[in-house]
RNA sequence: GCCAUGUUCGUCUAUCGGCUAGGACACCUCCCUUUCACGGAGGAGAGACGGGUUCGAUUCCCGUACGUGGUACCA
């Protein structure tokens, strides 16, 4: 076992966008595999044809690409263990289902959905709100255990639809060692006879995950904690089909929760106003839109960083990690056991850290696109870089660059005159009127010259520079924010500076 | 209901029997900054409850409570 090549897989169902929890599962898979020099496989679990959603698979692939978590094998790039879509592997599953039936470990069941519903209604009580199709009730249903062999053959011969269900043994204990939780045990009497092969011939997740993990030589299987309850079914299947010695090691990851403590869902995003999905997603059937972290203005490095620290830490106080560091430090034994509530404020902090750490060039194209979308054309890339470096400490999201820097490229739409007026007087009016004249004469239009001239003039007018800089800032920026005023004046140039001062002077007088 | 799993500041977490319980986000105060941030210094803020085991429990065991997940021909 230990000498086996590490092969892990992420096996999403292509039913919509990928949310935080899904991406974190990918991350932990990826980090674990890369640290051991193993392989990371993407497998599409599209066994439910009624839930197929166009574009979902492409969305998943693109999300992994954006996050820098690309698979070594998968439907988009092939590999030695394909196909990587379960719908394309359909013929492979039946033989295993038949094998289980032959061994008496599974059986045919002919109950229609209506009959199942009726059974649940009939046996439902206050103490047992969800009766199970298991050892207690299977004799009362229509299956190859309760029916005679002739009857079963006749039904199958007539083409009556059927499913294959696992026959859960009675009174046995199934135990397996979870890499995160340690030994976990289940009493098989309390697990129902899960459907393995559906009436349409497709396997359910339970059969498919076992067969494909075996066929694809998966060594370690990571999934969310919501799967823990069905683990005994999978363990039994491994025992029956391929031998426990070949079973991958399981790791059930703690869930990511919403602010109310329930498993994170799209609902939380709508309710609390933060993204849930990695990227924007619009459901093609309902047109239901869900915002993504990418479009909200997150850097992939930050997004990955946030996810890594939700349920894991390296034991030190370090919180900002590069992908290389994560791969190096990641250790399953340091993954928490309990679910973690997602905190959007903290996520923004991570993003801000990454914006500050990375050179502007690495995210400049994204920000430039945002500016152009806002109607601001960037002509001079070098100057744009200078502006971005100047304001980046003030931005937690890439979208923050627009309000923090648009005034470098266009006249402020509104000027906060109300912040100037109360302390305005004739002396200041005269000061700025002359400042315009002096600035027009200035030969060297740079930060130092602008400041020098400004201060000399303030002294000449017997005014305190501090009382004049805020008005100047508001004239140039429109409000009380932004980097140094003379930096701004230097960058926007003589013409714009003078024009903005003149414009505000008129507003103040009005 | 049953099964599984979990429970340290508001949130993410450290602690693998010695704790005056540490850090980060958010919050508050101050400094820096003639704006806003960034940065710096402080502050407030936690071991669900009850039993054991132990010289000593946040750490180990049991019980209770509460949370979450599961209980589909969905994954």
């Amino acid at each position: 076992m230990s000498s086996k090549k590490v092969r892990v897989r992420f096996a999403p169902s292509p039913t919509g966008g990928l949310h935080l929890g899904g991406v974190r599962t990918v991350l932990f898979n990826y980090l674990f595999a890369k640290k051991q020099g193993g392989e990371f496989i993407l497998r599409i679990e599209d066994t439910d044809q009624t839930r197929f959603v166009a574009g979902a698979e492409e969305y998943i692939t693109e999300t992994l690409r954006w996050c820098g978590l690309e698979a070594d094998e998968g439907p988009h790039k092939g590999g030695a263990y394909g196909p990587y879509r379960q719908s394309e592997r359909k013929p492979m599953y039946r033989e295993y289902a038949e094998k289980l039936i032959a061994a008496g470990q599974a059986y045919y069941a002919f109950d229609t959905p209506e009959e199942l519903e009726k059974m649940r209604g009939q046996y439902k009580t206050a103490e047992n709100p969800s009766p199970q199709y298991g050892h207690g009730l299977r004799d009362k249903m229509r299956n190859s255990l309760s029916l005679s062999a002739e009857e079963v053959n006749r039904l199958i011969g007539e083409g009556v639809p059927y499913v294959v269900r696992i026959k859960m043994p009675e009174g046995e204990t199934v135990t397996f060692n979870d890499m995160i939780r340690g030994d976990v045990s289940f009493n098989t009497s309390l697990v129902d006879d899960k459907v393995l092969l559906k009436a349409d011939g497709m396997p359910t997740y339970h059969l498919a995950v076992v067969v494909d993990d075996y066929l694809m030589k998966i060594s370690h299987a990571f999934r969310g904690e919501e799967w823990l309850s069905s683990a005994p079914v999978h363990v039994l299947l491994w025992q029956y089909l391929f031998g426990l010695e070949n079973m991958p090691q399981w790791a059930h990851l703690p869930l990511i929760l919403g602010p109310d403590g329930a498993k994170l869902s799209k609902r939380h995003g709508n309710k609390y106003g933060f993204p849930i999905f990695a990227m924007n997603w619009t459901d093609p059937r309902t047109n239901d839109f869900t915002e993504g972290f990418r479009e909200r203005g997150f850097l992939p490095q930050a997004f990955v960083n946030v996810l890594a620290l939700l349920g894991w830490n390296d034991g030190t106080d370090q919180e900002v990690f590069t992908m290389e560091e994560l791969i190096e430090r990641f250790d399953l034994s340091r993954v928490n056991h309990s679910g973690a509530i997602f905190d959007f404020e903290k996520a923004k902090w991570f993003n801000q850290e990454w914006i500050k750490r990375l050179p502007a060039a690495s995210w400049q194209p994204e920000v430039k696109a945002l500016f152009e979308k806002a109607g601001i054309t960037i002509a001079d890339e070098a100057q744009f870089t200078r502006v971005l470096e100047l304001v980046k400490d003030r931005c937690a999201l890439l979208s923050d660059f627009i309000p923090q820097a648009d005034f470098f490229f266009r006249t402020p739409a509104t000027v906060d005159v109300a912040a100037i007026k109360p302390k305005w007087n004739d002396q200041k009016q005269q000061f700025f009127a002359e400042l315009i004249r002096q600035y027009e004469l200035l030969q060297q239009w740079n930060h130092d010259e602008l400041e020098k001239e400004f201060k000399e003039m303030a002294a000449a007018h017997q005014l305190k520079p501090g009382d004049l800089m805020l008005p100047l800032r508001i004239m140039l920026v429109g409000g009380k924010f932004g980097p140094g005023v003379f930096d701004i004046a230097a960058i926007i140039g003589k013409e714009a500076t003078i024009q903005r001062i003149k414009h505000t002077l008129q507003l103040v007088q009005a």
Side-chain angles (χ1 to χ4, degrees):
Chain A
M1 271 295 272
S2 56
S3 62
K4 235 165 77 176
K5 174 87 173 166
V6 169
R7 284 175 59 82
V8 301
R9 101 273 118 136
F10 175 56
S13 158
T15 51
L18 245 197
H19 78 63
L20 287 178
V23 180
R24 196 196 52 177
T25 301
V26 176
L27 216 211
F28 285 10
N29 264 295
Y30 183 88
L31 297 177
F32 181 84
K34 292 304 151 188
K35 178 165 183 174
Q36 327 261 335
E39 283 144 5
F40 169 53
I41 291 103
L42 173 65
R43 181 173 74 216
I44 301 296
E45 308 235 342
D46 54 349
T47 53
D48 187 350
Q49 318 213 294
T50 65
R51 297 212 306 165
F52 173 81
V53 175
E57 184 187 316
E58 291 70 20
Y59 176 98
I60 291 165
T61 311
E62 172 60 12
T63 295
L64 300 197
R65 194 203 58 72
W66 179 62
C67 293
L69 301 170
E70 290 190 70
D72 299 304
E73 296 169 29
H76 58 301
K77 64 181 297 186
Y81 299 87
Y84 292 90
R85 283 182 202 97
Q86 290 181 330
S87 59
E88 293 168 13
R89 302 170 67 82
K90 184 176 176 183
M92 311 170 79
Y93 305 104
R94 181 172 295 273
E95 80 170 273
Y96 295 102
E98 296 291 351
K99 198 175 155 191
L100 290 167
I101 291 172
Q105 293 154 334
Y107 59 90
Y108 297 110
F110 302 93
D111 318 277
T112 63
E114 293 72 34
E115 287 169 331
L116 289 174
E117 203 175 318
K118 191 182 155 204
M119 175 275 274
R120 292 195 181 103
Q122 188 179 347
Y123 294 99
K124 186 171 158 179
T125 60
E127 303 80 54
N128 183 13
S130 36
Q132 297 189 316
Y133 196 127
H135 68 272
L137 255 32
R138 69 166 79 102
D139 294 343
K140 299 184 170 64
M141 305 302 288
R142 295 201 305 135
N143 53 56
S144 58
L145 261 24
S146 63
L147 269 26
S148 68
E150 296 75 45
E151 180 71 355
V152 169
N153 285 333
R154 186 183 64 79
L155 289 169
I156 292 177
E158 284 175 5
V160 173
Y162 63 86
V163 301
V164 174
R165 308 185 88 110
I166 185 172
K167 184 185 174 191
M168 287 304 288
E170 233 182 299
E172 286 180 21
T173 299
V174 171
T175 302
F176 72 96
N177 188 269
D178 186 90
M179 285 189 283
I180 291 174
R181 277 151 231 281
D183 284 342
V184 183
S185 298
F186 297 84
N187 178 347
T188 55
S189 296
L190 300 168
V191 181
D192 62 342
D193 291 350
K194 288 266 182 272
V195 169
L196 264 21
L197 203 67
K198 301 188 257 193
D200 64 0
M202 284 292 265
T204 58
Y205 173 83
H206 306 295
L207 212 217
V209 72
V210 170
V211 169
D212 286 342
D213 281 352
Y214 170 74
L215 260 18
M216 293 183 179
K217 295 194 162 56
I218 300 304
S219 63
H220 302 265
F222 299 74
R223 66 200 341 186
E225 195 187 351
E226 70 266 32
W227 290 108
L228 199 49
S229 310
S230 45
V233 177
H234 309 146
V235 172
L236 239 28
L237 251 20
W238 269 98
Q239 186 185 318
Y240 296 159
L241 256 16
F242 310 116
L244 253 21
E245 67 279 9
N246 296 313
M247 184 171 75
Q249 280 200 265
W250 297 101
H252 290 89
L253 271 19
L255 263 19
I256 296 182
L257 281 13
D260 60 2
K263 185 164 82 161
L264 195 69
S265 67
K266 281 193 296 182
R267 209 192 80 238
H268 290 111
N270 295 334
K271 185 169 175 188
Y272 299 99
F274 56 75
I276 293 298
F277 285 178
M279 314 184 305
N280 277 358
W281 168 256
T282 301
D283 190 301
R285 299 163 307 181
T286 60
N287 258 336
D288 191 26
F289 171 78
T290 310
E291 190 186 19
F293 278 86
R294 183 176 71 174
E295 290 79 2
R296 183 65 172 260
F298 274 79
L299 257 21
Q301 292 91 336
F303 185 56
V304 164
N305 200 154
V306 168
L307 262 22
L309 271 285
L310 263 186
W312 173 86
N313 71 83
D314 78 340
T316 73
D317 285 341
Q318 185 175 345
E319 295 200 274
V320 178
F321 293 91
T322 62
M323 185 69 88
E324 291 66 37
E325 287 173 321
L326 288 175
I327 291 170
E328 187 191 319
R329 315 275 180 79
F330 186 72
D331 182 353
L332 264 187
S333 72
R334 293 205 62 89
V335 173
N336 280 184
H337 297 191
S338 51
I341 294 177
F342 174 69
D343 181 358
F344 186 57
E345 291 306 315
K346 183 82 184 248
K348 282 199 294 194
W349 175 80
F350 273 107
N351 204 51
Q352 185 166 18
E353 287 301 308
W354 274 99
I355 287 175
K356 284 192 295 192
R357 271 159 218 251
L358 258 17
S362 58
W363 37 261
Q364 186 160 331
E366 284 75 18
V367 179
K368 184 182 177 187
L370 288 174
F371 271 71
E372 298 195 326
K373 201 174 159 194
I376 300 169
T377 308
I378 303 302
D380 184 342
E381 288 283 343
Q383 192 210 45
F384 191 47
T385 306
R386 231 177 304 137
V387 169
L388 297 183
E389 290 288 1
L390 211 49
V391 303
K392 70 178 188 179
D393 283 350
R394 295 166 174 76
C395 301
L397 300 172
L398 294 183
S399 51
D400 291 339
F401 277 98
I402 301 280
Q404 288 297 337
D406 65 341
F407 56 81
F408 281 101
F409 306 96
R410 64 182 173 199
T411 308
T414 58
V415 177
D416 188 4
V417 195
I420 305 178
K421 270 190 170 174
K423 292 178 181 172
W424 197 249
N425 55 36
D426 285 345
Q427 289 161 284
K428 289 184 182 174
Q429 181 76 29
Q430 282 160 23
F431 169 85
F432 280 102
E434 194 183 333
L435 184 68
I436 292 169
R437 288 192 289 277
Q438 294 302 323
Y439 273 2
E440 269 172 344
L441 297 171
L442 214 56
Q443 294 301 308
Q444 303 277 329
W445 191 265
N446 60 48
H447 173 281
D448 290 353
E449 287 299 315
L450 288 162
E451 182 171 18
K452 186 168 158 254
E453 183 62 45
F454 187 88
K455 292 194 167 166
E456 282 174 1
M457 271 193 52
H461 283 249
Q462 292 182 309
L463 285 166
K464 283 186 282 187
D467 293 337
L468 299 165
M469 282 174 71
L470 187 65
L472 176 61
R473 160 176 304 283
I474 292 170
M475 290 171 183
L476 302 187
V477 175
K480 293 190 271 189
F481 61 94
V485 247
F486 301 112
D487 283 320
I488 297 169
I491 289 177
I492 64 177
K494 184 185 282 189
E495 195 186 331
T497 300
I498 290 170
Q499 182 270 320
R500 291 184 195 182
I501 295 173
K502 279 184 179 167
H503 174 68
T504 313
L505 248 26
Q506 288 169 359
L507 291 177
V508 175
Q509 282 173 314

